Amino acid sequence: GLCGVYSIVNAARIVRRLDDEACKDLFRQIIIYLSQRRMLGRILVEGLNLHVIGGIFRSVDELGALQRNMPFKRDPDTPLDRFWNEMVAFLGDGAGRAVLLGLGGVYDHWTVVESITDRRIRLFDSYGLKTLNRHRCTTLRPTTRRPHKLYPTHTYFLG
């Protein structure tokens, strides 16, 4: 249930170039935030939802400096090609940018896109996922051929 917390920390590590000690401190701050709001028990079992992630971004001081955008927040029918191309354009050279991504299908999971090509996403992930191949992804309904659902509405572009 902590993949959302880890994904926030991992994204901040990339964008802000945080060292291990700063990441531990950020993790601590997020856990304190969740505990003070009496959400920690539920989060440990059920994971984070988009609303809670937004609250963490707004409330945890270390994250206040991150520029964040949810370009597909109100567009659940975003086609994969458009979504993928926007991630490619945003990450560009990859310096100081990351994409926090909600996954479905095989995984019900939050992860971080560290870099992307026309054919593959490279992840910085708490669960150990390394890559997702484009031909195995969808933004619609997962299938046997395309089991990885990428949620454009559950995506933060961070810089």
Side-chain angles (χ1 to χ4, degrees):
L2 288 176
C3 63
V5 174
Y6 286 122
S7 68
I8 293 168
V9 173
N10 289 341
R13 177 187 290 268
I14 292 168
V15 174
R16 306 271 323 275
R17 294 177 177 85
L18 301 179
D19 62 19
D20 287 346
E21 200 56 41
C23 287
K24 288 177 189 175
D25 186 54
L26 177 56
F27 181 84
R28 204 172 302 118
Q29 289 177 49
I30 294 170
I31 295 302
I32 289 168
Y33 168 85
L34 295 171
S35 179
Q36 288 173 340
R37 282 151 188 81
R38 301 182 190 270
M39 295 183 209
L40 190 55
R42 183 175 55 83
I43 297 304
L44 289 172
V45 174
E46 299 174 15
L48 293 181
N49 63 37
L50 195 58
H51 177 73
V52 174
I53 287 178
I56 291 169
F57 277 128
R58 286 187 300 276
S59 301
V60 175
D61 289 340
E62 181 69 30
L63 298 170
L66 289 181
Q67 294 179 355
R68 58 189 185 276
N69 183 24
M70 297 180 75
F72 303 99
K73 182 178 182 177
R74 298 189 195 327
D75 194 0
D77 298 322
T78 303
L80 179 64
D81 287 344
R82 180 171 162 233
F83 183 55
W84 198 280
N85 291 338
E86 288 290 325
M87 285 194 292
V88 168
F90 175 75
L91 290 173
D93 64 11
R97 292 182 172 196
V99 174
L100 190 143
L101 175 67
L103 289 178
V106 175
Y107 307 99
D108 183 15
H109 188 58
W110 291 100
T111 190
V112 177
V113 178
E114 185 172 19
S115 64
I116 188 169
T117 68
D118 289 339
R119 297 196 289 171
R120 180 176 292 151
I121 293 174
R122 191 172 69 145
L123 303 172
F124 185 16
D125 186 77
S126 63
Y127 187 66
L129 299 174
K130 301 289 184 202
T131 62
L132 291 174
N133 293 321
R134 183 177 182 154
H135 73 275
R136 303 280 290 156
C137 295
T138 184
T139 54
L140 305 173
R141 195 181 49 148
T143 65
T144 304
R145 199 170 142 257
R146 293 182 178 266
H148 304 295
K149 181 169 182 176
L150 312 181
Y151 285 97
T153 57
H154 290 60
T155 301
Y156 279 93
F157 285 25
L158 302 168

